[in-house]
């Protein structure tokens, strides 16, 4: 038995050896031979540290090509990769470690002191890994275990074995670990290569983070499967992206990337003359952004729909109309239906209901949460996404809302109940409601509507400041609004829909 995902990604293909895989900001060029060698060295290091097949490896490090090689090393060693957002606080990371029980935790050197107690409590070994720099620096302790050379033989893994766990959440309870198999990831990447026409001649601008689905499992895996090349960026930098566009053929980004490009006078048809594809996802793309971008560049952004539990689900067509405000059609091999939220019965065309999906991309369930898995993943493989939507008369899927009040801001998931819990603990706060409203840059902006105690000083900066050490920056409200009472229905439930309607123009009006 081969290593299923490594094989799907084309690792070990000698025909690719001398081809460029990535051009790096520091001038280095990574070939596919380098990918094979360095990922093999990381795999050997993991095995040497006692990581066994099926063990979790939790990673919270800054974006670097070495961090991507560590992911591939985990795949090749048969481990389960667990990437963590670099913005997570030590307290948040502590929860993930306690839940996932990893054998190894790899963190940025600057976070080692803060995370050592959490790793120890979880019974995990902690190693550090910095960003490689030609002028020296703290590369971290993990590199001491990486052999200079290693002819690593990939650990055998089958299609149903786990390759990764990515944490997500609902609006109640703590985060849930979505278990993704080798087949989940491999099949989705292969389908996207075919759907989006990627070949070995493509050059993709990679400015996304690599701790969630979009940057790791879409951009990186698609490049590997197709044998394409990357222009690697540690983060989105407007000048760097503008400089790269004439050398690239494709870019994947969140809506923020496109609104920032539109704000630059250099964006025009000539700049994008070599480009064939712009993909947007991870947050809703405003229809106006879509129209403005096409007018300026001649390119219609291809918007798609995905989520942690199922990777990519739908896509606007490569050939054919890319319709603003829609997320296109289900990908080949993926089934999608709109259902009655209560009964699960399939609804007629044009009716709004709960979106359910099924296919080889759909996850294996939630880590150590069999009851939650049973609630959201049926025995016959249909996953209840929690998103409300409809299918129009041309078969395009339209997402109209989220039944669980999930907020997606700048491509990151924000779960209101978590933020509300922190706000409600603050002195002088009676209660709060956290909502997402349209934001031209982030897709949705986080807004906290707060009911203070009578006579308490109403200071928005104090609320935001108090959250700085409690939740990651992307979860912090961009605006705090004080009210005397929250709107409720007859049963006493807070009417967030009303709040979203009242404040829908807060950032766009």
């Amino acid at each position: 038995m081969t290593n299923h995902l490594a094989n799907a990604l084309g690792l070990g293909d000698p025909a690719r050896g001398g081809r460029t895989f990535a051009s790096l900001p520091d001038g280095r060029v990574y070939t596919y031979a380098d990918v094979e060698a360095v990922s093999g060295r990381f795999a050997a290091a993991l095995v040497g540290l006692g990581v066994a097949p099926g063990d979790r490896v939790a990673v919270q490090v800054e974006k670097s090509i070495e961090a991507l090689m560590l992911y591939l090393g985990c795949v090749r060693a048969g481990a389960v990769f667990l990437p963590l957002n670099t913005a997570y606080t030590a307290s948040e990371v502590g929860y993930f470690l306690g839940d996932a029980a990893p054998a190894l935790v790899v963190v940025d050197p600057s976070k080692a002191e803060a995370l050592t107690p959490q790793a120890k409590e979880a019974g995990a070994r902690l190693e550090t890994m910095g960003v490689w720099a030609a002028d020296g620096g703290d590369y971290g302790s993990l590199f001491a275990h990486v052999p200079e050379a290693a002819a690593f033989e990939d650990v055998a893994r089958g299609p149903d074995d786990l390759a990764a766990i990515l944490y997500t959440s609902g609006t109640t309870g703590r985060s849930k670990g979505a278990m993704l198999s080798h087949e989940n990831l491999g099949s989705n990447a292969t389908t996207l290569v075919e759907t989006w026409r990627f070949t070995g001649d493509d050059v993709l601008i990679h400015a996304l983070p690599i701790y969630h689905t979009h940057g790791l499992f879409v951009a990186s895996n698609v490049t590997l499967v197709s044998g394409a090349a990357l222009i690697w960026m540690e983060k989105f930098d407007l000048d760097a992206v503008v400089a790269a566009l004439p050398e690239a053929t494709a870019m994947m980004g969140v809506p923020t990337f496109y609104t920032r490009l539109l704000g630059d006078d250099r964006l025009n048809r000539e700049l994008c003359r070599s480009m064939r594809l712009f993909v947007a996802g991870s947050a809703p793309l405003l229809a106006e952004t879509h129209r403005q971008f096409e007018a300026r560049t001649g390119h219609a952004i291809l918007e798609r729909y995905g989520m942690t539990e199922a990777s990519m689900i739908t896509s606007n067509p490569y050939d054919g109309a890319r319709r603003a405000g829609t997320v296109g059609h289900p990908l080949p091999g993926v089934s999608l239906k709109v259902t009655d939220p209560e009964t699960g019965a399939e609804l007629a065309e044009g009716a709004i209901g709960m979106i359910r999906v099924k296919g080889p991309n759909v996850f294996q369930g939630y880590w150590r949460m069999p009851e939650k898995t049973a609630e959201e993943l049926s025995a016959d493989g249909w996953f209840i996404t929690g998103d409300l939507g409809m299918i129009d008369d041309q078969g395009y899927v339209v997402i109209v809302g989220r039944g669980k009040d999930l907020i997606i801001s700048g491509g990151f998931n924000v779960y209101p109940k978590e933020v509300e819990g922190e706000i409600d603990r603050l002195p002088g706060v009676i209660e709060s409601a956290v909502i997402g409203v349209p934001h031209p840059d982030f897709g949705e902006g986080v807004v906290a509507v707060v009911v203070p105690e009578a006579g308490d000083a109403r200071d928005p900066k104090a609320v935001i400041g108090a959250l700085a050490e409690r939740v990651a920056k992307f979860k912090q409200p961009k605006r705090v609004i004080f009210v005397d009472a929250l709107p409720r229905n007859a049963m006493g439930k807070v009417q967030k829909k009303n709040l979203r309607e009242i404040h829908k123009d807060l950032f766009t009006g």
Side-chain angles (χ1 to χ4, degrees):
M1 183 171 66
T2 61
N3 187 294
H4 190 80
L5 181 55
N7 186 62
L9 296 178
L11 298 178
D13 181 358
R16 295 182 176 185
R19 291 177 60 88
T20 295
F21 170 67
S23 301
L24 306 180
D26 59 14
R28 287 183 294 160
V29 174
Y30 244 67
T31 65
Y32 273 89
D34 293 328
V35 171
E36 183 72 20
V38 179
S39 66
R41 289 167 60 194
F42 273 114
L46 294 175
V47 172
L49 289 170
V51 175
D55 280 350
R56 279 73 59 206
V57 176
V59 178
Q60 190 192 38
V61 298
E62 297 301 320
K63 181 180 180 180
S64 68
I65 197 69
E66 288 79 18
L68 185 64
M69 294 306 105
L70 177 58
Y71 153 61
L72 297 177
C74 282
V75 171
R76 297 181 64 183
V80 180
F81 190 65
L82 172 56
L84 296 172
N85 191 324
T86 53
Y88 284 143
T89 65
S91 175
E92 290 169 315
V93 171
Y95 167 75
F96 300 125
L97 301 187
D99 188 61
L104 177 67
V105 181
V106 182
V107 303
D108 187 87
S110 66
K111 296 183 177 181
E113 184 177 352
L115 292 175
T116 294
Q118 281 83 351
K120 184 176 181 180
E121 186 173 346
R125 178 180 184 131
L126 185 140
E127 299 286 346
T128 61
M129 177 172 162
V131 176
W132 187 91
D135 58 355
D138 186 357
Y139 305 151
S141 61
L142 181 62
F143 287 97
H145 304 283
V146 176
E148 284 297 318
F152 187 80
E153 183 175 347
D154 294 354
V155 174
R157 293 276 90 183
D160 294 332
D161 287 317
L162 294 188
I165 294 176
L166 265 63
Y167 275 85
T168 182
S169 179
T171 54
T172 59
R174 294 306 300 259
S175 296
K176 309 185 294 289
M179 300 185 292
L180 298 163
S181 71
H182 281 242
E183 175 66 5
N184 292 152
L185 300 180
S187 66
N188 203 237
T190 301
T191 296
L192 292 175
V193 167
E194 296 170 354
T195 301
W196 294 341
R197 314 284 175 86
F198 271 83
T199 73
D201 294 327
D202 275 303
V203 179
L204 174 72
I205 295 174
H206 194 310
L208 292 160
I210 56 170
Y211 46 69
H212 68 18
T213 300
H214 197 171
L216 185 62
F217 299 144
V218 181
S220 302
N221 283 358
V222 162
T223 301
L224 286 161
V225 170
S226 63
L230 295 172
I231 297 177
W232 184 264
M233 300 181 183
E234 293 174 0
K235 61 181 179 180
F236 180 86
D237 177 272
L238 181 60
D239 289 337
V241 171
V242 168
L245 280 170
E247 310 301 322
T249 65
M251 186 176 88
M252 298 180 189
V254 296
T256 305
F257 290 10
Y258 296 106
T259 58
R260 292 183 181 174
L261 281 168
L262 282 168
D264 193 295
D265 292 338
R266 292 173 291 180
L267 182 71
N268 56 33
R269 290 173 182 253
E270 175 62 19
L271 185 72
C272 302
R273 65 188 179 277
S274 68
M275 294 292 291
R276 68 170 187 85
L277 182 63
F278 290 95
V279 177
S282 297
L285 182 74
L286 296 179
E288 184 59 26
T289 301
H290 188 285
R291 287 189 288 268
Q292 289 179 7
F293 197 87
E294 185 170 12
R296 287 270 294 277
T297 67
H299 289 276
I301 298 171
L302 187 152
E303 191 171 9
R304 86 302 183 275
Y305 165 56
M307 59 197 317
T308 301
E309 291 93 339
S311 296
M312 297 303 101
I313 298 168
T314 72
S315 171
N316 267 273
Y318 185 83
D319 295 317
R322 299 175 189 172
R323 296 176 57 192
T326 79
V327 292
H329 310 286
L331 290 168
V334 177
S335 299
L336 181 149
K337 60 183 178 180
V338 176
T339 63
D340 183 291
E342 300 299 326
T343 67
E346 188 167 0
L347 301 177
E349 175 188 288
I352 294 173
M354 183 66 66
I355 293 175
R356 299 188 183 209
V357 299
K358 181 180 181 179
N361 55 317
V362 174
F363 74 139
Q364 306 300 296
Y366 293 114
W367 174 258
R368 291 180 172 173
M369 289 187 175
E371 298 85 2
K372 182 59 67 175
T373 298
E375 287 176 18
E376 300 186 19
L377 185 62
S378 68
D380 59 354
W382 285 97
F383 172 55
I384 303 171
T385 65
D387 290 327
L388 299 174
M390 58 169 281
I391 301 174
D392 70 14
D393 58 1
Q394 296 182 51
Y396 286 73
V397 177
V398 179
I399 309 296
V400 300
R402 283 178 289 277
K404 299 177 181 178
D405 291 323
L406 170 66
I407 301 166
I408 303 180
S409 183
F412 302 128
N413 289 358
V414 180
Y415 303 99
K417 190 171 182 63
E418 179 186 8
V419 184
E420 289 163 1
E422 298 295 345
I423 294 174
D424 292 350
R425 293 187 186 97
L426 299 178
V429 172
I430 295 176
E431 63 177 344
S432 63
V434 171
I435 58 173
V437 300
H439 191 291
D441 205 16
F442 295 95
E444 286 184 304
V446 180
V447 175
V449 184
V450 178
V451 179
E453 293 179 354
D456 192 80
R458 300 187 174 198
D459 184 2
K461 291 183 180 179
V463 174
I464 296 172
L467 296 177
E469 299 300 320
R470 303 191 185 200
V471 298
K473 188 173 178 60
F474 68 85
K475 301 177 186 178
Q476 295 167 20
K478 300 189 183 305
R479 197 73 62 84
V480 175
I481 297 168
F482 291 95
V483 296
D484 294 328
L486 297 176
R488 283 181 158 79
N489 64 12
M491 300 300 291
K493 184 178 180 180
V494 174
Q495 298 294 281
K496 288 191 174 181
K497 181 179 179 181
N498 292 359
L499 290 173
R500 286 191 288 265
E501 179 64 25
I502 292 168
H503 302 295
K504 65 181 181 181
D505 299 323
L506 190 62
F507 301 113
T508 59

